Amino acid sequence: MENDDLINFMQDWFEQFMGRFDRLDKFMDIMSGRHNVLNGERLLDNQDLCQMLNVSKRTLQRYRSAGELTYITIHHKIFYTEKNVEKFIRDHFRDNDNISEVTEEKE
């Protein structure tokens, strides 16, 4: 009987242990899917912005070099705040029909 108690105890303990791993795994999935945020404002990287504006990385570089697109650098990676991207779109694409598509994707 003592052996059965030990087996049941070990099985319960193992199931609790694996349950914690499952919770950690779910938490890691949630964290990896989150957007980059700085001071409560969403940050977009080059890939995000290239897809949103349908432009190349080189085009973004030209906008940055000309001072038309404000950016920040964190650990040698370039990010754009959502507020600055919206301002850039209003200033440079106001006559373009794509403006409604870009703002709808954000929501």
Side-chain angles (χ1 to χ4, degrees):
M1 197 66 173
E2 200 173 295
N3 218 8
D4 289 339
D5 291 339
L6 181 61
I7 290 172
N8 288 336
F9 171 78
M10 292 298 290
Q11 187 172 5
D12 289 342
W13 179 84
F14 187 73
E15 287 175 5
Q16 288 177 351
F17 187 71
M18 291 306 295
R20 288 186 183 183
F21 273 122
D22 290 340
R23 284 193 305 257
L24 282 172
D25 188 43
K26 287 179 186 177
F27 180 73
M28 297 280 287
D29 284 342
I30 290 168
M31 292 301 292
S32 68
R34 292 183 74 181
H35 300 288
N36 294 314
V37 176
L38 179 66
N39 295 330
E41 187 168 8
R42 182 175 171 205
L43 296 176
L44 304 167
D45 63 11
N46 278 329
Q47 183 178 355
D48 295 332
L49 201 52
C50 284
Q51 290 175 347
M52 184 183 288
L53 300 177
N54 197 27
V55 297
S56 68
K57 289 181 181 180
R58 180 66 184 119
T59 301
L60 291 182
Q61 174 63 48
R62 276 191 231 113
Y63 291 146
R64 289 193 310 268
S65 297
E68 297 174 359
L69 183 57
T70 306
Y71 65 96
I72 57 175
T73 305
I74 302 174
H75 297 292
H76 307 290
K77 186 168 179 177
I78 295 172
F79 291 97
Y80 311 89
T81 62
E82 203 169 31
K83 181 172 64 174
N84 289 337
V85 170
E86 288 173 359
K87 181 183 180 320
F88 174 79
I89 291 171
R90 278 194 309 272
D91 293 347
H92 293 85
F93 295 97
R94 70 179 75 137
D95 295 330
N96 194 338
D97 291 338
N98 291 334
I99 192 166
S100 60
E101 294 174 11
V102 170
T103 53
E104 286 175 8
E105 285 178 15
K106 184 189 74 130
E107 298 171 355

